[in-house]
């Protein structure tokens, strides 16, 4: 009897996997990973991120994406997410270079936390630092292309950024997750930071001439934006705003590329953070979530951007503009909360930079991808394998 049921189970599984999802081919992986333009571009981009610093390099990406999305041609988006300037290359290369430079004692940045977390600090032209950035630029593009060409239903760029950040810690001798201070009640406790409590002598490694007791017991990613209510509020409203921008642009004929406009604006706004302006929020993971989730569920928008008719949209999550905008706002909130949770686990108690927005984008894009595979969404907009 069990043998007779197996074909039925196989047919059912095959039906689910065919709903709006198309996996990639291994031959595509081989072709991309042996493309000299991709590899050499990543080599240069990783060094670029090391020279400027990870955050300035990412801000540059933001301006490119703004130009490409608002202009409608898409060139700036392709360049901003591609070899050389893609965050998985230049930003990740800058993060790796900071981890290496701090470990070697090169950084005296005056940063409040461990120097390896100072991603706004330009490292200049020191050859070994540039080489580290270049190597991690290559590593970043290899991971990104592997995920993209296999059409895994998740954004491949933050997947690469997250993996790269953990590899940096392993390669340069830092703790993978970090050590929770005895003054904190677990990973999620930000109380020691609020009380300005310091580490105990010898508890963790110091740097830049600092001892362990010169470091805060807990180092939140954004000291001005870690309370759950604040994070949820900014996530909801930035997600909503990005959805409205996308709605207006697509209604005006800009096309699918409009979905990245909010991301570009958020990323470019970090210029003010890099210049030292207080209380600038980091929102690119929220705006990208809001715009993508809105467009994944806005029925009229799907019809405008594809050759489908209303009868072809069989998944239940397809709404009018107003409900779709609220759906996007909720995904902005979801992304914000996931980002905060990731910083409490992987950033606040550790020595090097781990990017909470990248971790959040991995989670919510995979969520959308799985909703497409399950047949609850008609498409994942730009997420690999989930288009129409």
């Amino acid at each position: 009897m069990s043998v007779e049921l197996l074909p039925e189970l196989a047919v059912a599984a095959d039906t689910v996997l065919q709903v709006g999802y198309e996996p990639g081919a291994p031959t595509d992986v081989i072709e991309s990973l042996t493309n000299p333009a991709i590899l050499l571009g990543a080599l240069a981009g990783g060094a670029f991120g090391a020279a400027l610093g990870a955050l300035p390099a990412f801000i540059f990406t933001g301006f490119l994406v703004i130009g490409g999305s608002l202009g409608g041609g898409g060139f700036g988006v392709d360049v901003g997410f591609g070899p050389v300037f893609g965050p998985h290359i230049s930003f990740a290369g800058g993060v790796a270079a900071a981890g290496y430079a701090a470990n070697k004692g090169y950084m005296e940045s005056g940063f409040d936390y461990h120097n390896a977390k100072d991603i706004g600090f330009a490292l200049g032209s020191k050859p070994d630092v540039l080489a580290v950035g270049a190597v991690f630029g290559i590593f970043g593009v290899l991971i990104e292309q592997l995920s993209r060409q296999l059409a895994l239903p998740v954004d491949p760029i933050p997947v690469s950024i997250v993996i790269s950040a953990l590899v940096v810690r392993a390669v340069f001798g830092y703790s993978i997750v970090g050590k929770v201070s005895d003054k904190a009640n677990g990973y999620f406790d930000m109380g020691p930071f609020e009380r300005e409590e310091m580490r105990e002598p010898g508890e963790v490694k110091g740097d830049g001439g600092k001892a362990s007791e010169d470091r805060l017991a807990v180092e939140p990613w954004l000291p001005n934006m870690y309370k759950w209510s604040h994070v949820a509020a900014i996530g909801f409203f930035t997600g909503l705003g990005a959805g409205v921008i996308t709605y207006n642009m697509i209604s005006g004929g800009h096309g699918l590329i409009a979905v990245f406009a909010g991301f570009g604006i958020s990323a470019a706004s970090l210029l003010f953070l890099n210049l030292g302006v207080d209380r600038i929020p980091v929102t690119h993971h929220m705006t990208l979530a809001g715009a993508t989730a809105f467009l994944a569920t806005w029925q009229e928008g799907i019809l405008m951007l594809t050759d489908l008719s209303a009868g072809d949209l069989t998944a239940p999550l397809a709404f009018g503009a107003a409900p779709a905008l609220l759906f996007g706002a909720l995904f902005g909130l979801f992304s914000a909360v996931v980002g905060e949770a990731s910083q409490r686990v992987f950033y606040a108690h550790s020595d090097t930079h781990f990017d909470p927005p990248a971790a959040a984008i991995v989670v919510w894009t995979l969520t959308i991808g799985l909703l497409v595979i399950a047949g609850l969404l008609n498409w994942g907009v730009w997420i690999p394998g989930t288009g129409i």
Side-chain angles (χ1 to χ4, degrees):
M1 177 136 181
S2 59
V3 175
E4 293 176 359
L5 286 174
L6 285 175
E8 296 176 14
L9 292 173
V11 170
D14 188 56
T15 300
V16 170
L17 291 174
Q18 288 180 21
V19 178
Y21 174 68
E22 184 177 347
T27 53
D28 296 332
V29 177
I30 296 171
E31 183 178 347
S32 68
L33 296 187
T34 56
N35 185 330
I38 292 176
L39 298 178
L40 293 175
L43 194 73
F48 170 81
L52 267 68
L55 181 57
F58 181 69
I59 293 166
F60 199 89
T61 296
F63 281 110
L64 286 169
V65 173
I66 287 177
S69 58
L70 297 183
F75 174 75
V77 175
D78 293 340
V79 174
F81 290 142
V84 183
F85 299 118
H88 54 301
I89 296 168
S90 60
F91 178 83
V95 169
Y100 168 78
N103 191 48
K104 296 290 285 186
Y106 295 161
M107 294 178 72
E108 287 285 355
S109 68
F111 195 55
D112 289 339
Y113 298 169
H114 196 281
N115 276 342
K117 289 181 173 179
D118 192 358
I119 60 172
F121 187 75
L123 293 167
S125 56
K126 196 169 178 59
D128 56 338
V129 173
L130 297 181
V132 169
V135 168
F136 272 86
I138 291 284
F139 179 76
V141 84
L142 292 178
I143 297 298
E144 178 264 340
Q145 283 294 308
L146 180 65
S147 177
R148 185 180 301 280
Q149 299 304 328
L150 289 176
L152 302 181
V154 63
D155 186 351
I157 289 177
V159 167
S160 179
I161 292 171
V162 167
I163 293 174
S164 179
L166 298 178
V167 171
V168 166
R169 293 179 177 181
V171 169
F172 297 125
Y174 297 99
S175 171
I176 299 298
V177 179
K179 176 177 174 57
V180 178
S181 171
D182 292 339
K183 297 176 181 178
N185 185 22
Y187 284 101
F188 277 66
D189 182 14
M190 298 289 105
F193 171 76
E194 296 169 347
R195 297 187 295 269
E196 299 183 352
E197 294 178 347
M198 311 302 286
R199 291 278 190 174
E200 294 293 338
E203 187 176 31
V204 293
K205 184 169 73 171
D207 74 329
K210 293 182 179 180
S212 175
E213 58 267 32
D214 294 327
R215 291 183 57 186
L216 288 163
V218 175
E219 301 173 339
W221 168 54
L222 295 174
N224 60 292
M225 197 183 89
Y226 65 87
K227 294 183 178 180
W228 293 111
S229 59
H230 295 195
V231 169
I234 194 72
F236 181 88
F237 287 113
T238 54
L240 179 62
V244 172
I245 291 171
T246 304
Y247 169 79
N248 288 332
M249 290 180 67
I250 290 178
S251 298
H254 273 77
L256 180 60
I257 205 74
V259 75
F260 298 111
F263 172 92
I265 294 169
S266 289
S269 74
L270 297 181
L271 174 63
F272 300 107
L273 179 66
N274 206 96
L275 293 174
V277 180
D278 290 337
R279 300 185 180 181
I280 296 296
V282 179
T283 60
H284 56 279
H285 52 309
M286 309 171 197
T287 49
L288 185 60
T292 304
F294 160 69
L295 198 51
T297 55
W298 180 34
Q299 181 169 324
E300 184 180 351
I302 299 173
L303 299 179
M304 290 171 61
L305 296 172
T306 68
D307 295 328
L308 301 180
S309 64
D312 296 322
L313 303 182
T314 57
L317 296 178
F319 314 123
L325 286 170
L326 290 175
F327 189 82
L330 291 175
F331 256 79
L333 186 158
F334 174 50
S335 181
V337 170
V338 171
E340 176 58 27
S342 71
Q343 82 86 9
R344 295 186 181 217
V345 175
F346 291 102
Y347 183 99
H349 313 280
S350 63
D351 299 322
T352 69
H353 182 78
F354 177 91
D355 201 55
I361 296 172
V362 168
V363 172
W364 70 254
T365 55
L366 181 60
T367 299
I368 288 181
L370 293 176
L371 288 174
V372 172
I373 292 173
L376 297 175
L377 281 175
N378 289 284
W379 69 334
V381 193
W382 52 269
I383 298 170
T386 65
I388 295 178

